[in-house]
DNA sequence: AAGCGTATTTGTCCAGGACAAATAGACGAA
DNA sequence: TTCGTCTATTTGTCCTGGACAAATACGCTT
């Protein structure tokens, strides 16, 4: 496996792979006849473990070079310290994934939405399911393609529900909400769940999709006459970059636009002109508060 | 703008940016106090033009270093040589994008699906619209976020329609089709349109999502008991890699599984054990032929 | 005109050095 | 104790310039 392939597969940049090798003696790839690195499959697997640990906050110097057993031990400890009681729904989902039963998986997800409602699904159950699947993957109980499969079905079900919710009921219009992620953030699931929450509150929601450059987000906010910019940050997003990006966005976007950030990114903190949401369930009351806030000054007209 | 930002924004790897600078004298970035490259916005814009031209088949040595006017001229020539008569629907879509009217855009797309049917939408109209939007972007008439916006709404509408089609009518079951793209291919639109075509034929379709490693695709095919692997390649996918990847997949996947490849990738050619589809409309008859083929030998049981 | 071998172009990789950004640890003040 | 500030260490990213393989164009032959 070439260094470029490992970069794609493990998400570790080439420069990092080379500098780890120089500093810690691992990875220790073979060389082909032209002195290019060839990574054996087992080292790639170890690198994947390392990636998880580093994302979780371990320092490379402390973990790179240790044996697979030790690393797995550390990962297990992380998993149990994340006290994620696996509900019966999650258990069912994992079973279906293990059996590769995509059709039934979608039926089950649709059934959960119908029974619990879109709000509870997006705010509580969905994140729980996604967390359980991610944890199972990190324990090696699922293959990547099974995680892909879950993401696909989940996205599909959620999108349909949002579409339906948008048609039903009289939308109240304001606030107009724009959804997006920063360029380093390719995960769409969190964004989609937030979109569901806003849609349920009768907001007009417009998604820019993932990985939109910050100046573009600001330009879009201006062009759409948006009231709120909703940004999503997954747990692997580098916190300092999130804060820098938010400051940049705050400077570029119109002053009247509010910036609401959310997601599992650990270092995400409120900042001047930016609200931070730890829970998706906090969106509904916040929208209510926004409406009360802009209605009161009576200075804003409906364009 | 740092070299990493340009890499993200233009899709040109850092190594390539540096080597172009060394060989052709362009780009010619400023340096910050620590000698790191700082790309001015206008050079980044030129790099985006260059990227389009190189993707379209121009050789870097012939175009890097030329003036913006010359480059725009070459791009225009490309656009007219792509004889894409813009239909009234595409015109309407571009107008709505220019006005940032996401809500009406979705309504219009939904209306087209209802009027023309999902089949015509996925096979003909959809690719036409996507092509028109891409061309408008390359002419500088649209911003990136407007292209994102289109992709989002298009995806949403198409997914809903697929979901509806899946529920309606008695699915005939076989063939079981698995959808996916190779790791270097992040575009989901082509895959989604193919999924629509197969779903209309009553196939059981399962999507692995984009960027699945080749061994994972093969493993999934085995696990799902798939009959057909459907791969999508966009116009920017490097053709040699597509052919190498298909050969690798052919070697890893079960012999009984057929591999069907499609998309706008120019160098995509049929190969032993792999079919290539130039048009999405060719899928429907091909599924019919598949059914006739496997029904005849009568050696396969329904598991 | 189509197939094949050679020349040129072009992207990716390498080494090893450098330093800024991020983090941990020590220290002092409320 | 708990919080903020300052310093030391760690860590990722960028640098240069050289090398070569893979991809492409070109010229030759059939």
């Amino acid at each position: 496996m070439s260094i470029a392939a490992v970069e794609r597969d493990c998400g570790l940049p080439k420069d990092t792979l080379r500098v780890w090798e120089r500093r810690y003696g691992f990875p220790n790839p073979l060389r082909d006849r032209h002195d290019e690195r060839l990574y054996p499959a087992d080292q790639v697997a170890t690198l994947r473990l390392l990636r998880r640990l580093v994302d979780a906050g371990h320092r490379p110097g402390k973990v790179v070079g240790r044996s697979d057993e030790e690393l797995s031990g550390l990962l297990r400890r992380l998993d149990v310290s994340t006290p994620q009681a696996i509900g019966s729904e999650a258990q069912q989902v994992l079973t279906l994934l293990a059996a590769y039963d995509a059709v039934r998986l979608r039926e089950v997800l649709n059934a959960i939405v119908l029974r619990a409602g879109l709000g509870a699904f997006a705010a509580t159950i969905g994140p729980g399911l996604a967390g359980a699947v991610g944890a199972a993957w990190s324990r090696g109980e699922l293959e990547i393609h099974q995680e892909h499969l879950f993401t696909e079905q989940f996205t599909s079900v959620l999108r349909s529900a949002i579409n339906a919710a948008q048609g039903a009921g009289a939308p109240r219009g304001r606030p107009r909400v724009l959804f997006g992620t920063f360029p380093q953030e390719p995960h769409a699931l969190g964004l989609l769940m937030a979109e569901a929450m806003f849609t349920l509150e009768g907001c007009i929601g417009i998604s820019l999709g993932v990985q939109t450059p910050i100046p573009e987000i600001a330009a879009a906010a201006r062009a759409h006459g948006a009231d709120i910019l909703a940004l999503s940050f997954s747990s692997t997003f580098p916190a300092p970059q999130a804060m820098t990006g938010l400051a940049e966005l705050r400077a570029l976007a119109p002053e009247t636009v509010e910036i609401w950030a959310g997601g599992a990114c650990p270092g995400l903190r409120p900042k001047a002109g930016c609200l931070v949401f730890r829970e998706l369930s906090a969106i509904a009351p916040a929208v209510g508060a926004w409406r009360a806030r802009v209605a009161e000054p009576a200075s804003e007209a409906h364009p």
Side-chain angles (χ1 to χ4, degrees), chain A residues 43-233:
Chain A
Q43 293 196 23
V44 176
T46 307
L47 284 169
R48 265 193 289 263
L49 294 182
L50 287 170
R51 167 75 201 267
R52 301 283 302 187
L53 285 170
V54 170
D55 279 346
H58 280 88
R59 309 225 60 188
K62 308 283 179 190
V63 290
V64 177
R66 297 224 211 161
S67 72
D68 276 20
E69 291 77 37
E70 290 181 276
L71 299 180
S72 310
L74 289 172
L75 268 177
R76 253 193 305 282
R77 202 182 312 165
L78 267 181
D79 280 344
V80 293
S81 75
T82 314
Q84 200 156 67
I86 289 204
S88 64
E89 282 121 346
Q91 195 51 61
Q92 193 178 6
V93 164
L94 289 178
T95 309
L96 288 173
L97 277 177
Y100 302 92
D101 195 337
V103 177
R104 282 266 290 286
L105 174 59
R106 179 181 299 195
E107 286 169 5
V108 165
L109 291 175
N110 264 323
I112 296 177
V113 172
L114 284 177
R115 179 161 44 73
L118 179 55
F121 184 77
T124 316
I125 305 173
L129 292 179
V133 170
W137 177 72
S138 85
R139 284 194 301 270
E141 293 169 16
L142 294 178
E143 306 279 338
I144 304 182
H145 67 261
Q146 290 169 308
E147 206 190 10
H148 278 203
L149 192 62
F150 171 77
T151 305
E152 276 292 316
Q153 304 304 319
F154 188 92
T155 305
S156 177
V157 166
L158 199 48
R159 244 184 232 274
S160 295
I162 290 174
N163 235 9
Q166 231 160 13
R172 309 195 26 201
R174 305 284 294 277
R176 298 164 70 89
V177 187
L178 221 56
F179 303 93
T181 73
F182 283 178
Q184 305 95 323
E185 175 61 73
H187 297 96
L189 242 48
L191 207 56
L192 209 55
M193 294 191 279
E195 204 175 334
M197 298 308 291
F198 279 100
T199 303
L200 281 174
E201 294 303 306
C203 304
I204 294 186
I206 299 168
S207 178
L208 298 173
V210 295
Q211 299 189 309
T212 305
I214 291 173
E216 294 285 334
I217 298 177
R222 210 175 292 272
H224 284 280
D227 300 305
I228 296 170
L229 280 174
L231 286 313
S232 163
F233 299 89

